[in-house]
Amino acid sequence: MTPEAPGTPGARRIAYQGEPGANSHTVCVQHYPDWEAVPCASFEDVFALVEGGDAELAMIPIDNSIAGRVSDIHHFLPASRLHIVAEHFLRIRFMLMAVPGPRSTRWRRCTATSTHSASAARSSASSG
């Protein structure tokens, strides 16, 4: 069966949590380029979309090599009818953004989500 063009009725769909450009979306595009990647607001929405038949697959993170397991997934997966069918790895590269001009010696604070904080702290420490 050949996948239909994205956005057309019957197109093969893969759901992910986040917005276009999120890490899970990147993996969808890399490994399922002919499928329609469907963004969802939460992991719960991703599971519901697949269980309801509105998407064939879900691209969800299971583990973060620095911060550990993604706890929401370990809550939803056993309670669902879904199971792992493939594994994909994505190297994450964090970028610190600032307005033009400031020097790093003047920075006083950098904020991030809890998952990203462990990675960012480790990266900052290694870069001086």
Side-chain angles (χ1 to χ4, degrees):
M1 175 167 122
T2 304
E4 297 182 29
T8 62
R12 299 184 84 176
R13 302 175 83 205
I14 182 167
Y16 68 94
Q17 186 276 324
E19 297 291 331
N23 294 328
S24 293
H25 178 249
T26 298
V27 178
C28 289
V29 171
Q30 287 177 351
H31 293 280
Y32 300 88
D34 297 327
W35 290 43
E36 179 183 1
V38 182
C40 296
S42 68
F43 291 125
E44 189 172 18
D45 292 344
V46 172
F47 279 81
L49 205 66
V50 177
E51 287 185 310
D54 293 319
E56 290 182 53
L57 297 175
M59 181 62 66
I60 53 172
I62 299 294
D63 189 69
N64 177 308
S65 58
I66 294 174
R69 70 186 199 146
V70 179
S71 61
D72 285 352
I73 302 310
H74 294 276
H75 169 74
F76 291 123
L77 191 57
S80 75
R81 298 178 320 206
L82 307 183
H83 57 277
I84 298 170
V85 297
E87 186 172 24
H88 304 287
F89 295 91
L90 177 66
R91 181 175 181 181
I92 307 299
R93 295 175 188 242
F94 290 101
M95 302 293 173
L96 181 61
M97 298 173 65
V99 296
R103 295 172 26 132
S104 62
T105 56
R106 295 178 51 198
W107 296 344
R108 298 291 180 247
R109 181 174 67 175
C110 177
T111 60
T113 64
S114 59
T115 302
H116 299 126
S117 294
S119 300
R122 186 172 176 177
S123 177
S124 294
S126 67
S127 65

